[in-house]
Amino acid sequence: MTKYKLKDYIFYMSIRMPEKIREKIWIWLIFFVAFTLRIIYLLQMKENPHFFSPTMDPLYHDAWAQNIASGNWIGEKVFFRAPFYAYFLAIVYKVFGHSYIIPRVIQHLVGSLSCVLVYFVAKKLFNRKVAQVSGLIAATYGMLLYFEDELLLDSFLVFFDLVLILFLLKAKESPKFFNWFICGLILGISAVTRPNILLFVPFVWLWIFLVFKKEKSFKKILAFCGLVLLGCILIISPVTLRNLRAGGDLVLIASQGGINFYIGNNKNSDGMSAIFYKEDWQYRDFQKVAEKEAGRDLKPSEISGFYYRKGLNFYLNSPGRAFKLLTKKLYLFWNRFEISNNQDIYFFRRYSSLIRILPLGFWFIGPLGLVGMILSTFRCRRSAEAEALHPHDQTRKASLPILFVFSYMVTVVMFFVTARFRLPVIPFLIIFSGFSLVWLAESFLRKDIFSLRSFFLLLIPFAALTNSNLYHLGAEDFSQAHFSLGNVYLKQGKLDWALAEFDSALALNPRLSRAHLNRGIVLLKKGEEDKAQKEFLIELGLNPEEDKAYNNLAAIYLGQGLYQKAEQMAKRALELKNYSSDAYMNLALSYWKRGQTEESKKTLRLGLSKVQPFFEAELFLGEIYLAQTKLDSAEEIFERIIQEASSPRDVTYDLESLASKGTSRALENIHIRAKAHFNLGTIYVQNGKLNLAEKHLRKALSLDTSFAEAYANLGILYDHTGRGREALPLLRKAIKLDPQNGVYHYNLGLAYAKQGKLEKAKEEFETSLVFDSTLTDAQIKLHLVDSLLQSAESTRKLPSK
């Protein structure tokens, strides 16, 4: 009895509860469910090795943001990608320090707010029931959680597009000039996050015209459209002007459009993979191909235009194949399969039990969303609540997100289809799915057979299409995922784990590109040169155009003293990629080791003309001049390195370089600067400018505290200038860092001898000869010290008178 009374009380209170309070409860419920699930997912995904070692686009965003946060806020090149997300990350890094957790927490917070926005948009379009259902679906939709947890822009893009639609709907209800201007600002923010939204602008104008053609004058409609455009321009124009000023090129937002267009529209395209003429392309591959065909250097806008034309030529020259590819991309866009882009979605679900149990996916919202769009536009019978609205008013409202879905679909299908790229339409498909479910429930309760029959007549073909598999899409081949995981472990120095992942990749796909290459790199790091060499040769048997295999073989041959073979391998690598910095260094080293100094210098100069920046080559060239005692030329090069390597540079979209060096690129530059300061110190010692020499040696040590040779040389300088006590700790530090260096022990012996500590001097001279028996000076000094010690001993033994 008590149970029923409690139930009746709850029902009574729900009736009595003010509508605003009930709505707030629903809003907070949706937010709480969404944010709780997302934090659980975040905590689980910390076990994913990629979480703290990003790869692909997340790696690029991370490196770009760190570069900006280090002080390079304006940059010096045209944006390759839209800049919003990189600057968001940079601000987070600047405020909180470099963290892989805080940006994700913020993104999940934004994602949770997006679920609340789904509620508001659905309520604005339909009613509270649809809003409640849609909000809960969004809160529990797995792919939204997945992408919010990546260092990618998509969580913000979803948020901005929902805000845009909501504000456009509000502007319709209150068509003030300021409201339309705000809509333009939001659209501009979305555009500098990903420019696809710009194709939606004419559809916004069309919608404004259809909504107000009977209510407002044509001039006023034009004013509304103009204000939307003005707001958009005000956000985009600073980016355009920055590109013009920093990069000297008129690029609206980013220059990658043409490249992406060609990737998705060429004879080798599968419509869903970012493949150029090879899988592991870099931006410079596209640049070199375009410039070779053009016969001159090209600006980023010209490179983009070049590939737009090539993509269009594909349609003109192969219309049948192009139409077939376009049909496939349309199918992929509406298919349930989540096409991966950076890491395999299905493979990495293993790190989260939550995302595996969340039931709703595109298999559900795809067909229901399509049905909802049709029902909201051409309603067979309207529910009682829908009848209360003006029928045309509701249709016009629903037409706005429908226009968004299909215009955005065009922008995806124009390029290539992935789960990530279609994500912005997901919230709107969720809303129409919510409408479909409420329609179905109301029709069932009313026993409206006609509406039910209409619903299922629409649903069945859409469900069959969405859940079919005409192109044999599968989530079973995880070879690439194992390969990617192996690369993460390789970068982390977990060599055995990396080897196991590469073995797993090859077990699934014995011909997987670069698996043998990276397996060889692991073996090389483990000191197993013979096995590594075999792996590189196997890679070349599978992929004869793999320049890195030739480069690694060149490095092995250099280490073995086979300089001619190293030269052959390095030259072959340069034939395949004439901007390979490693190949230029290996070739220059092979010439240097064979005494062909001029050829070595010539190779380095050629490398410097092809690769910028290329501080390793400049450093080596300066050291060659130093060895030739061409001190002025060497000094000029080292000064230039110090100046240029100290300046922050834009991060190039070179995932290969970022993956191999990652954030260690900055550390590498620091080491190069330290070497440049050290070499300047050496030059100034030879020139007798001891104060300058000391300054540069100390600077080298401030940059690289593990620089043994700098400690040794600064110690020698102090010793020679009468500061023996200051010299001793420096010389001892050099030995601590390099204990088997005979010269360091010899110099410490000299310092001890000058201070009269002959026993310690003798010990150091003896140790130096253990490590280097060719040190004749150490033998002479040891003999001298022995004589002095014997003489002193004899003096002590003389009887006193």
Side-chain angles (χ1 to χ4, degrees):
M1 188 69 180
T2 306
K3 182 179 177 181
Y4 288 107
K5 284 183 178 179
L6 179 60
K7 184 178 178 181
D8 293 340
Y9 175 74
I10 293 172
F11 177 75
Y12 174 73
M13 288 301 295
S14 67
I15 297 296
R16 290 285 303 266
M17 189 181 293
E19 183 178 318
K20 286 187 177 180
I21 294 178
R22 275 188 286 166
E23 183 167 55
K24 285 182 180 179
I25 289 172
W26 266 102
I27 291 169
W28 280 106
L29 175 65
I30 290 167
F31 179 82
F32 176 78
V33 171
F35 195 61
T36 300
L37 291 177
R38 281 155 172 76
I39 294 302
I40 293 170
Y41 180 73
L42 171 68
L43 294 173
Q44 290 183 338
M45 289 304 289
K46 284 176 68 179
E47 300 303 313
N48 179 355
H50 285 263
F51 190 94
F52 292 107
S53 294
T55 57
M56 305 293 286
D57 289 344
L59 171 63
Y60 175 63
H61 292 149
D62 179 43
W64 185 7
Q66 289 187 67
N67 180 264
I68 295 169
S70 70
N72 193 19
W73 292 93
I74 300 298
E76 58 185 17
K77 295 180 182 178
V78 167
F79 288 133
F80 179 68
R81 285 196 163 174
F84 173 86
Y85 185 70
Y87 279 85
F88 155 75
L89 269 185
I91 292 169
V92 171
Y93 292 165
K94 195 70 176 176
V95 174
F96 299 102
H98 185 240
S99 167
Y100 289 125
I101 294 177
I102 292 174
R104 287 177 163 102
V105 172
I106 295 171
Q107 288 170 199
H108 283 309
L109 180 61
V110 170
S112 302
L113 292 173
S114 294
C115 298
V116 174
L117 285 173
V118 166
Y119 174 92
F120 283 119
V121 173
K123 184 187 172 190
K124 186 73 70 176
L125 290 171
F126 302 111
N127 55 51
R128 186 175 290 107
K129 289 179 184 177
V130 175
Q132 291 166 356
V133 173
S134 301
L136 288 176
I137 293 175
T140 59
Y141 192 79
M143 280 299 98
L144 291 176
L145 275 73
Y146 176 86
F147 284 109
E148 288 163 21
D149 204 61
E150 296 293 304
L151 296 180
L152 297 170
L153 56 87
D154 304 273
S155 56
F156 289 98
L157 195 63
V158 166
F159 178 81
F160 294 145
D161 292 345
L162 281 165
V163 172
L164 173 63
I165 297 299
L166 183 62
F167 271 74
L168 284 169
L169 292 171
K170 287 186 175 182
K172 175 190 173 297
E173 294 173 355
S174 178
K176 298 177 181 177
F177 288 152
F178 181 73
N179 291 343
W180 296 111
F181 178 70
I182 293 296
C183 291
L185 293 177
I186 299 165
L187 199 151
I189 294 170
S190 180
V192 298
T193 307
R194 182 180 287 155
N196 299 46
I197 193 69
L198 293 176
L199 189 64
F200 184 50
V201 173
F203 292 96
V204 172
W205 292 341
L206 174 64
W207 177 75
I208 292 172
F209 175 75
L210 293 174
V211 166
F212 293 109
K213 64 180 180 179
K214 293 183 179 178
E215 303 172 22
K216 306 289 182 182
S217 67
F218 186 67
K219 284 185 178 180
K220 204 149 199 177
I221 292 172
L222 282 180
F224 293 162
C225 295
L227 286 165
V228 172
L229 181 61
L230 177 62
C232 185
I233 289 172
L234 282 177
I235 297 296
I236 294 174
S237 56
V239 178
T240 308
L241 292 172
R242 177 260 169 215
N243 283 335
L244 185 60
R245 179 185 172 188
D249 194 8
L250 187 59
V251 173
L252 188 65
I253 297 172
S255 66
Q256 72 173 141
I259 292 173
N260 281 351
F261 183 72
Y262 180 69
I263 286 173
N265 299 281
N266 68 77
K267 64 180 181 179
N268 298 316
S269 174
D270 63 2
M272 57 183 180
S273 304
I275 298 175
F276 184 29
Y277 63 89
K278 58 178 182 177
E279 290 184 25
D280 58 312
W281 61 268
Q282 307 302 325
Y283 174 70
R284 282 185 292 184
D285 293 316
F286 281 94
Q287 180 182 356
K288 295 298 179 183
V289 168
E291 290 179 343
K292 184 178 180 181
E293 193 165 323
R296 62 183 178 87
D297 292 342
L298 297 177
K299 294 181 178 180
S301 62
E302 294 174 318
I303 294 169
S304 184
F306 173 85
Y307 285 105
Y308 269 123
R309 290 190 296 275
K310 282 185 75 74
L312 290 172
N313 286 337
F314 170 65
Y315 281 89
L316 296 173
N317 299 331
S318 307
R321 181 184 288 183
F323 179 77
K324 187 177 179 181
L325 178 61
L326 187 62
T327 303
K328 179 183 179 180
K329 289 192 282 187
L330 281 168
Y331 172 82
L332 294 174
F333 186 91
W334 291 104
N335 191 263
R336 65 172 293 175
F337 190 78
E338 303 290 356
I339 301 171
S340 302
N341 180 228
N342 288 291
Q343 59 182 19
D344 193 300
I345 293 169
Y346 296 97
F347 180 84
F348 287 98
R349 285 160 63 106
R350 65 183 61 189
Y351 294 103
S352 171
S353 58
L354 174 64
I355 204 167
R356 293 198 302 270
I357 64 173
L358 290 176
L360 301 182
F362 202 86
W363 67 270
F364 181 79
I365 68 162
L368 279 177
L370 287 167
V371 171
M373 283 188 273
I374 294 173
L375 291 177
S376 65
T377 307
F378 306 106
R379 295 184 303 282
C380 302
R381 292 189 180 184
R382 301 179 184 89
S383 65
E385 190 169 349
E387 277 289 349
L389 294 170
H390 189 284
H392 295 297
D393 185 64
Q394 189 175 0
T395 300
R396 286 170 184 168
K397 282 184 175 181
S399 66
L400 179 64
I402 292 172
L403 286 170
F404 175 83
V405 168
F406 284 98
S407 64
Y408 206 89
M409 177 197 73
V410 170
T411 69
V412 175
V413 171
M414 277 172 58
F415 297 91
F416 54 97
V417 180
T418 68
R420 173 184 161 201
F421 295 158
R422 76 177 176 189
L423 197 71
V425 308
I426 296 298
F428 301 101
L429 292 178
I430 286 173
I431 291 170
F432 285 112
S433 296
F435 175 75
S436 292
L437 291 172
V438 172
W439 172 288
L440 179 63
E442 289 181 348
S443 299
F444 181 78
L445 291 174
R446 292 197 313 270
K447 298 180 180 179
D448 187 341
I449 303 301
F450 179 80
S451 292
L452 290 171
R453 184 176 60 192
S454 301
F455 179 88
F456 285 107
L457 282 173
L458 290 170
L459 180 66
I460 290 170
F462 287 142
L465 178 68
T466 300
N467 292 283
S468 62
N469 194 0
L470 300 181
Y471 291 95
H472 308 292
L473 304 172
E476 301 300 325
D477 182 8
F478 292 144
S479 58
Q480 192 65 43
H482 282 291
F483 176 75
S484 178
L485 197 52
N487 289 334
V488 170
Y489 289 139
L490 175 58
K491 187 177 176 182
Q492 293 174 346
K494 298 175 180 178
L495 301 183
D496 291 333
W497 292 12
L499 203 58
E501 293 299 331
F502 294 138
D503 288 344
S504 297
L506 286 167
L508 293 169
N509 183 359
R511 300 185 62 84
L512 182 65
S513 176
R514 309 184 95 185
H516 284 287
L517 172 73
N518 287 13
R519 204 173 178 281
I521 292 171
V522 172
L523 293 168
L524 196 58
K525 287 179 177 289
K526 288 167 71 74
E528 301 178 38
E529 282 192 5
D530 292 341
K531 291 182 179 179
Q533 186 174 339
K534 288 178 183 177
E535 291 295 327
F536 298 142
L537 291 171
I538 293 171
E539 182 68 38
L540 289 173
L542 296 171
N543 182 9
E545 307 228 327
E546 182 49 71
D547 61 282
K548 289 180 190 56
Y550 286 109
N551 260 327
N552 290 333
L553 286 170
I556 289 174
Y557 294 144
L558 277 170
Q560 294 173 344
L562 303 173
Y563 303 129
Q564 195 162 358
K565 292 186 76 172
E567 177 188 333
Q568 292 170 358
M569 295 297 104
K571 283 182 175 179
R572 179 61 182 137
L574 284 172
E575 288 173 10
L576 294 168
K577 186 189 282 189
N578 71 345
Y579 53 90
S580 170
S581 58
D582 289 338
Y584 282 114
M585 289 300 293
N586 286 332
L587 183 56
L589 277 166
S590 68
Y591 284 136
W592 173 255
K593 292 289 187 180
R594 293 166 64 194
Q596 296 177 314
T597 305
E598 292 307 313
E599 284 298 318
S600 183
K601 287 159 64 176
K602 181 180 176 182
T603 300
L604 292 170
R605 291 192 195 100
L606 180 61
L608 287 166
S609 71
K610 299 289 185 180
V611 183
Q612 285 293 331
F614 195 0
F615 298 126
E616 299 96 323
E618 284 198 275
L619 183 68
F620 189 16
L621 185 60
E623 288 173 342
I624 290 175
Y625 282 129
L626 183 57
Q628 294 178 319
T629 65
K630 295 180 179 179
L631 301 187
D632 291 341
S633 298
E635 181 180 350
E636 181 184 343
I637 289 174
F638 296 138
E639 291 283 7
R640 184 167 63 245
I641 289 172
I642 290 167
Q643 182 178 356
E644 293 182 0
S646 303
S647 305
R649 289 175 173 265
D650 288 359
V651 174
T652 304
Y653 191 78
D654 185 345
L655 298 179
E656 177 185 291
S657 176
L658 290 173
S660 61
K661 298 178 181 178
T663 54
S664 68
R665 178 185 291 272
L667 296 175
E668 183 179 298
N669 281 354
I670 288 172
H671 178 69
I672 287 171
R673 285 165 56 201
K675 284 282 288 182
H677 280 289
F678 171 81
N679 289 329
L680 280 173
T682 302
I683 289 171
Y684 290 134
V685 166
Q686 293 184 36
N687 287 337
K689 300 176 181 178
L690 299 185
N691 289 335
L692 281 175
E694 180 182 348
K695 172 188 170 184
H696 282 284
L697 288 171
R698 292 178 69 87
K699 183 63 178 178
L701 289 172
S702 71
L703 290 168
D704 185 356
T705 56
S706 63
F707 199 162
E709 197 173 0
Y711 283 110
N713 282 15
L714 186 58
I716 294 168
L717 177 64
Y718 284 167
D719 186 47
H720 285 198
T721 53
R723 290 181 282 176
R725 288 188 178 180
E726 294 178 64
L728 288 176
L730 293 169
L731 294 169
R732 284 195 289 261
K733 179 69 174 180
I735 289 171
K736 185 178 179 181
L737 291 168
D738 188 2
Q740 295 185 5
N741 190 306
V743 174
Y744 294 170
H745 286 282
Y746 168 72
N747 287 325
L748 182 58
L750 287 177
Y752 280 136
K754 286 182 180 180
Q755 295 186 40
K757 299 176 181 180
L758 299 182
E759 289 289 350
K760 288 187 175 181
K762 178 183 177 182
E763 182 182 337
E764 293 301 328
F765 292 144
E766 287 174 341
T767 305
S768 71
L769 289 168
V770 169
F771 294 124
D772 189 350
S773 59
T774 64
L775 285 172
T776 54
D777 284 349
Q779 292 172 349
I780 294 169
K781 293 294 189 293
L782 179 60
H783 179 71
L784 179 61
V785 166
D786 269 336
S787 299
L788 290 171
L789 286 170
Q790 289 172 8
S791 175
E793 185 67 23
S794 299
T795 303
R796 282 197 297 272
K797 289 180 178 179
L798 287 174
S800 58
K801 292 182 180 180

